[in-house]
Amino acid sequence: MAEAIHTEARFNDEDAARDYLESIYWPRGPVCPHCGGTDRNTRLNGTAHRPGLLYCADCKRQFTVTVGTVFERSKVPLHKWVSRRT
């Protein structure tokens, strides 16, 4: 029997899909989509923050890898977008 084509975690898990997109869009680390800052970005972890949220100390704004992309306001889960891409 043939093996399923979408067995990688990025096709089934939101966090893995986000990590995959970050590795594509930010190969050298996060870049603020608001000001272009790269040096003072901090990942916000904790129960009060949504997964993948970053804070730019240069412009004092929050962002994720989806800001400014077609994924930003989509109701379709990120892992489904990623499975369409590959």
Side-chain angles (χ1 to χ4, degrees):
M1 180 172 214
E3 188 174 322
I5 192 168
H6 291 68
T7 58
E8 294 180 47
R10 69 179 184 218
F11 298 125
N12 302 306
D13 178 37
E14 287 296 300
D15 293 330
R18 187 177 311 97
D19 291 342
Y20 176 69
L21 286 178
E22 286 181 4
S23 72
I24 292 172
Y25 290 117
W26 301 330
R28 294 180 195 98
V31 178
C32 177
H34 307 292
C35 72
T38 58
D39 296 331
R40 300 176 58 196
N41 296 325
T42 306
R43 198 164 291 276
L44 301 175
N45 297 318
T47 57
H49 303 100
R50 67 184 183 273
L53 188 64
L54 291 104
Y55 174 77
C56 177
D58 291 329
C59 68
K60 312 264 188 284
R61 295 180 72 182
Q62 297 178 352
F63 65 96
T64 67
V65 71
T66 61
V67 171
T69 69
V70 66
F71 313 119
E72 184 173 12
R73 301 220 186 265
S74 175
K75 300 298 182 192
V76 176
L78 200 54
H79 71 275
K80 290 187 179 185
W81 276 104
V82 172
S83 68
R84 295 275 187 222
R85 184 179 190 288
T86 56

